[in-house]
Amino acid sequence: MGKLKKAAACAGVLAAAGIGEVAYFYRRTMKRGNAKVERTIKMAGTDWSQYAPLLEERKTFMLAQAHEDVYQMSFDGLKLHATYFPALEKSDSAEADTGKKKVVICFHGYTSQGMSDYIGLSGYYLKKGYAMLLPDARAHGESEGEYIGFGCLDRKDALVWIDWVVQMLGKDVEIVLHGTSMGGATVLMASGLELPEQVKGIVSDCAFTSPKEVFTHVLHNMYHLPAFPAIPGADILNKRLAGYGMDECNAKREVAKAKVPILFIHGTKDTFVPYRMCNEIYECCASPKKMLVVEGAAHAESYYKDTEKYEQALNEFLGEIL
């Protein structure tokens, strides 16, 4: 009887420890305010200091252009925010003088915001004659929301922003979706939806397959912890609190339904979202597809590691679809 009591006590301690681990992981990862940008940057491991002069130059250029705040309501009643940059009246590129109305909607990464992740690429898109719409994902920046959507909910928010662009600029507008990291997962997960005809293509940079799979990778490789109980426990909590499961929407399954062309980009030295995920998603993609692999690039570093190669890939891809 004593042994049974000890066993029961041990089981109780282990159960409490498991619940504590789940709650700790969930709070740090899924809730606004607890998911810190500094921690994400440290985990991603990319040395952004080496690109500081370029980023400062592009930021100065970007902020000097006309821009405005835009607000829309999500499908579940959240007030979403974005920053809109109209196309430049004059451009360095002959491609900007074709008369076409071109807009790129840019989706940022985990714990970031719209005006942060596309400072570098603003020097590409704006000078090519594109208008830019930079949404803050739910639970990020100026957008409302307590729980992070990890692409699963954000893909539905993407439809709201696409609709806003069409209403704002007319049915003849041509739209490109460009996403980085969580934003890359967002645009790939959106590819499986019925997208308006104005969406001509998708660019996905260092996207993950699903929250479940990327969290499992992080637990194994960075914390040396097993997926159980944190991942199954977080899945249960997230269904109740945020309204979606951790593998409810998987980019591999969604691109199997895709109709619009997709350009996949990933760096070979990405330890945060492993390069293999890009290959897995690419193999499942049913629509016309291209891939750019940037040797030696860490997470979200591809554009800065080899700007010429990145812009050449964009030129070729966008030149074919627009």
Side-chain angles (χ1 to χ4, degrees):
M1 195 68 176
K3 289 183 178 180
L4 286 175
K5 286 183 178 180
K6 286 182 180 179
C10 288
V13 169
L14 290 173
I19 292 169
E21 180 183 335
V22 169
Y24 177 74
F25 171 78
Y26 189 80
R27 284 196 304 270
R28 280 170 57 96
T29 306
M30 305 300 294
K31 289 196 70 175
R32 182 188 202 121
N34 293 332
K36 304 292 186 182
V37 63
E38 298 82 8
R39 187 164 64 239
T40 303
I41 292 173
K42 183 178 180 180
M43 290 169 65
T46 306
D47 178 13
W48 292 109
S49 64
Q50 61 187 309
Y51 305 116
L54 173 62
L55 286 166
E56 188 59 36
E57 176 189 328
R58 295 284 175 95
K59 184 177 181 179
T60 300
F61 163 77
M62 186 181 190
L63 293 178
Q65 312 310 314
H67 56 281
E68 62 179 300
D69 292 316
V70 181
Y71 297 92
Q72 292 286 288
M73 295 299 293
S74 71
F75 69 94
D76 53 352
L78 298 177
K79 186 178 181 181
L80 302 175
H81 169 264
T83 308
Y84 176 64
F85 287 78
L88 300 183
E89 292 183 8
K90 294 182 180 180
S91 167
D92 298 338
S93 172
E95 297 171 39
D97 301 322
T98 60
K100 293 181 179 178
K101 290 183 286 186
K102 303 179 296 183
V103 180
V104 58
I105 308 178
C106 301
F107 298 87
H108 65 77
Y110 176 58
T111 70
S112 188
Q113 54 188 327
M115 287 290 284
S116 295
D117 285 9
Y118 289 89
I119 291 171
L121 276 161
S122 67
Y124 174 85
Y125 279 119
L126 289 175
K127 291 180 179 180
K128 289 284 185 181
Y130 288 79
M132 298 182 74
L133 183 67
L134 309 172
D136 290 338
R138 57 176 54 219
H140 290 75
E142 294 184 38
S143 289
E144 292 181 344
E146 185 177 1
Y147 299 100
I148 296 172
F150 279 102
C152 299
L153 299 181
D154 306 301
R155 67 179 187 147
K156 297 179 182 179
D157 299 335
L159 295 178
V160 173
W161 292 119
I162 293 167
D163 184 60
W164 180 86
V165 168
V166 174
Q167 290 187 38
M168 180 77 174
L169 296 178
K171 292 186 177 180
D172 59 341
V173 68
E174 295 183 322
I175 299 172
V176 176
L177 308 181
H178 191 137
T180 302
S181 192
M182 186 181 79
T186 297
V187 297
L188 293 181
M189 291 175 182
S191 74
L193 302 173
E194 287 294 327
L195 295 173
E197 62 181 359
Q198 288 82 10
V199 178
K200 303 301 181 183
I202 290 172
V203 180
S204 168
D205 189 337
C206 60
F208 53 76
T209 49
S210 74
K212 177 185 176 181
E213 292 180 6
V214 76
F215 293 156
T216 299
H217 166 78
V218 168
L219 283 173
H220 285 169
N221 289 272
M222 297 185 180
Y223 293 100
H224 309 292
L225 292 171
F228 184 86
I231 301 301
D235 184 54
I236 293 169
L237 276 177
N238 212 50
K239 286 176 181 175
R240 292 177 180 175
L241 298 175
Y244 70 95
M246 304 293 271
D247 196 52
E248 183 176 308
C249 192
N250 189 306
K252 289 184 290 188
R253 294 195 297 268
E254 296 307 310
V255 298
K257 300 178 281 185
K259 297 182 177 68
V260 299
I262 301 176
L263 171 61
F264 295 87
I265 302 171
H266 219 108
T268 60
K269 295 298 184 181
D270 192 336
T271 57
F272 194 40
V273 177
Y275 166 56
R276 63 171 172 78
M277 285 192 178
C278 185
N279 285 325
E280 291 171 9
I281 303 169
Y282 182 87
E283 291 301 318
C284 293
C285 182
S287 62
K289 56 190 176 183
K290 290 179 176 289
M291 183 187 290
L292 169 64
V293 177
V294 180
E295 293 293 332
H299 188 63
E301 188 189 20
S302 292
Y303 179 72
Y304 304 94
K305 190 73 173 179
D306 197 335
T307 304
E308 182 178 355
K309 192 174 182 180
Y310 197 112
E311 291 189 351
Q312 181 183 349
L314 284 178
N315 288 339
E316 292 175 359
F317 178 69
L318 297 173
E320 291 175 5
I321 65 174
L322 298 180

